[in-house]
Amino acid sequence: MGRSLADKEAALAELEAQLSDTQMVMVIDYSTLSVAEITKLRRQLRPTGTVCKVAKNTLMRKAIASHEQWQPMEQFLKGSSACLLVKEDIAGAIKAYQGFQKETKKTELRGGVLEGRALTQADLKAIADLPSREVLLAQIAGAINGVATKLAVGIKEVPQSLGRAIKAIHEKEAA
C-alpha cells in the first residue's frame, strides 16, 4: 500500500528542511547495495556531518524545485538514487564515500552539486584531494610567521651592521 498524501507532504517538508542547511549534495546509484551495506555507508558518513537520504526521484525533484541552488542535481536523478547531504566536512564526506566505494565496488557516483553548480566525479575527486581546513590554516600561520621572522631579522641587522662599520672605522683609525 502506498503512502498517503499527508505522509508524502511530511516527507517532502522534511527533505526540504534537510536541503536548506546542506552545503553540498552527492548523488549515487545504490541499487546493488544491501541494507547492511547502506547502513555501513551511513555510519562511515556520520562523523563528517553527512546524511544518506534515499528518496524517490519524483519526491527529490519536488524538493529541489523550490531551491534554485539544487536545480542542477536533477540531471543525476535517474534510476535508484541515494543523495548524500553534506552538512559539515565536504572533503571528509567525499573521502569517506570513496573509501566505502573502494571497499565494496558496488556503487557509482553520478555527480554532485555545490553552490548551484553541477560537479562531475573528477571535480569531486579534486575537492577530496584538497588539504583539510586545519592544515590550510596551519600553512597560512606558518607563512605569516615566516614573514614576521624575516622582518625581525632584517630590522635587527641594520643596527648591527652599522655598529660593525663604526667599529671597523674606529679600528682602522686606531691603527
Side-chain angles (χ1 to χ4, degrees):
M1 188 159 131
R3 289 179 156 180
S4 70
L5 184 59
D7 289 344
K8 289 179 185 178
E9 288 174 354
L12 180 62
E14 177 191 347
L15 196 52
E16 286 176 342
Q18 286 184 335
L19 281 171
S20 67
D21 65 341
T22 297
Q23 294 180 14
M24 184 181 83
V25 176
M26 294 186 296
V27 181
I28 64 170
D29 178 4
Y30 78 100
S31 60
T32 57
L33 293 179
S34 67
V35 173
E37 289 169 330
I38 203 151
T39 302
K40 183 177 182 180
L41 173 62
R42 284 181 169 136
R43 281 192 192 122
Q44 288 179 349
L45 292 171
R46 195 171 296 132
T48 65
T50 304
V51 176
C52 179
K53 192 71 177 168
V54 177
K56 290 191 176 270
N57 292 337
T58 53
L59 184 65
M60 187 59 78
R61 282 189 186 97
K62 287 180 182 179
I64 64 174
S66 60
H67 299 294
E68 188 175 322
Q69 71 184 36
W70 303 120
Q71 296 288 322
M73 187 169 60
E74 191 164 351
Q75 65 186 328
F76 305 122
L77 296 175
K78 55 185 181 259
S80 300
S81 301
C83 294
L84 308 180
L85 309 175
V86 184
K87 297 177 186 289
E88 293 172 17
D89 183 10
I90 293 174
I94 297 171
K95 288 176 186 175
Y97 170 73
Q98 286 175 339
F100 175 79
Q101 205 278 331
K102 282 181 185 175
E103 189 179 311
T104 62
K105 296 183 179 21
K106 289 186 174 183
T107 64
E108 176 193 343
L109 180 62
R110 292 188 184 140
V113 177
L114 177 65
E115 296 179 357
R117 192 174 142 237
L119 302 173
T120 63
Q121 291 178 359
D123 294 336
L124 291 168
K125 184 175 182 334
I127 291 171
D129 291 341
L130 290 172
S132 71
R133 183 176 189 270
E134 290 78 20
V135 171
L136 287 173
L137 289 174
Q139 290 173 348
I140 291 169
I144 291 171
N145 189 25
V147 170
T149 302
K150 288 179 182 178
L151 183 64
V153 168
I155 291 172
K156 179 182 167 196
E157 185 61 31
V158 171
Q160 283 183 341
S161 61
L162 183 62
R164 283 191 300 265
I166 292 172
K167 183 179 178 186
I169 290 172
H170 176 64
E171 287 175 357
K172 186 176 181 183
E173 288 178 357

